[in-house]
Amino acid sequence: MDLIHIHENDNVALCRARLPAGSLVNWRGSMLELVSAVPAMHKVAVSPIAGGEPVLKYGQVIGFAARAIAAGEHVHEHNMVARSHHADYAFCSEASPTDFVSDGERATFMGFRRPNGRAGTRNFLAVVSTVNCSVTVSRAVAAHFQHSGKLRDYPNIDGVVALGHDSGCGMSTADEGYRTLMRTLNGYIGHPNFAGVLMIGLGCEAMQVNSVLRENGLEVGPLFQTLTIQQQGGTRAAVEAGIEKLTDMLPAANACRREPVPVSELTLAVQCGGSDAYSGITANSALGAAADLLVRHGGTVIYSETPEIYGAEHLLTRRSATPEIARKLVDRIHWWEHYTEINGVALNNNPSPGNKAGGLTTIAEKSLGAQAKGGTSTLQGVYLYAETVRTKGLVFMDSPGFDPVSVTGQIASGANVVCFTTGRGSAFGAKPVPSIKLASNSELYRRMSEDMDIDCGGILEGEYTVAERGEFIFQRILAIASGEQSASEKLDYGDNEFAPWRIGAVI
């Protein structure tokens, strides 16, 4: 079959392979002649579209014809434009109760149960910088344990990770950027994938160590220590003190053991990057099926990237549990419209060059494919970036579409496993949380086999259904949460992907 027609109302279909002009393709029992060449995964009109009329994919408006488009013509940037429009939000009109799995049938995984009751999927130690000025010291402390061989005597510790960033000073202590960074630091300090944490500051920065302690109600103890470089007496003394403090944590961290934990303690971050036109059909849809399974087993799914739900947000407002949740989501959309406007950016101009090469033309088209990874469950909450998620089921966390920034917020909000779909090929990992990579097409899976965990391209070939691949993904989530290494972990990704969202002016 040459064409993939997603919804019966669509006036475009996808070409499975690059086809030259004049090619004849089977369309509903008759032959459709292509009047222009169409690259693989790109759209072709299957009926005439008048200038100004909507272009339909997934049964939804993805843009408008910039001029008359003939049947058999390639549809992309040259003849289709984005135009701001909002579909009917219809708050809560499609919300439905979750069909939970019975208690006796709920799955488990082997996790680390922490003293506060939360469960981790990994057992790291962390060195957290409050400010860019302490990053060098933090990394020197972590490097000592990574390269000295000291951890060989502590096999239950997955490693020591330094979390450095480029902010923490040159900022107001009373604005949104400060509050966002504060939430992010607090989320990582308390993350269940860390057995112990050392927080390091310089001493004179805006994001003071004592402020982090006071504003979050944190107390120093055997597995949570702090220091400042200035008070310690300089760089060398701070590094030595940091090594000593982490060394004292090693025996207790190594004493942690995996034990059976209900899957309701899993919080899955769903993410996509380097998407192509197949992502919404294969990898995202299969991940959505896995997300629905996790919700049915009592777990939590964090869906994010607000600019990449733009044009598809109505699909979430319609299945929001309450009007208040739906309104909160719309409020975040309005915040982004204002934020992008004052920064001279068009929110509906999101697709990257790679996305466009992969057949995606507008943000609405990208968003409609992206939203599939959140599954079909009722939306139970909307959270600010890095805000602690306390709700079970599907929730939305506000974030940019830039993958490292978005995943950083999801982990700070409590995600202890990440599933990341890609069509073009994304290289990513996020310590201290395992990141599972899903390829939208089999060619990518073969070409970047060391970076990919799961091939979803067989959905196109009829090798398995979306539901079957969703069940497979769910089982892989449980196995990797229980200790199996993901592809990105084997490649040791994650030391450089901590990227808190930086909002506001540098002053």
Side-chain angles (χ1 to χ4, degrees), residues 324 326-336:
E324 291 75 21
R327 171 52 58 190
K328 193 171 182 180
L329 183 67
V330 174
D331 287 345
R332 298 317 299 166
I333 292 291
H334 291 163
W335 184 94
W336 272 95

Side-chain angles (χ1 to χ4, degrees), residues 123-125 151 154-160 195 249-256:
N123 193 43
F124 278 93
L125 291 171
L151 291 181
Y154 302 93
N156 292 326
I157 298 175
D158 289 309
V160 178
M249 298 182 194
L250 293 177
N254 191 62
C256 297

Side-chain angles (χ1 to χ4, degrees), residues 203-220:
C204 56
E205 62 271 17
M207 185 63 66
Q208 289 280 306
V209 167
N210 287 337
S211 298
V212 176
L213 298 176
R214 182 181 64 255
E215 294 183 30
N216 296 295
L218 301 174
E219 295 184 1
V220 171

Side-chain angles (χ1 to χ4, degrees), residues 111-165:
F112 295 95
R113 183 68 80 175
R114 302 304 182 188
N116 63 2
R118 299 175 69 188
T121 59
R122 294 294 184 266
N123 193 43
F124 278 93
L125 291 171
V127 188
V128 178
S129 299
T130 62
V131 64
N132 172 260
C133 310
S134 62
V135 171
T136 296
V137 168
S138 296
R139 288 179 176 166
V141 172
H144 169 81
F145 294 91
Q146 293 164 354
H147 304 305
S148 66
K150 186 175 292 187
L151 291 181
R152 284 196 291 267
D153 296 329
Y154 302 93
N156 292 326
I157 298 175
D158 289 309
V160 178
V161 58
L163 301 174
H165 56 95

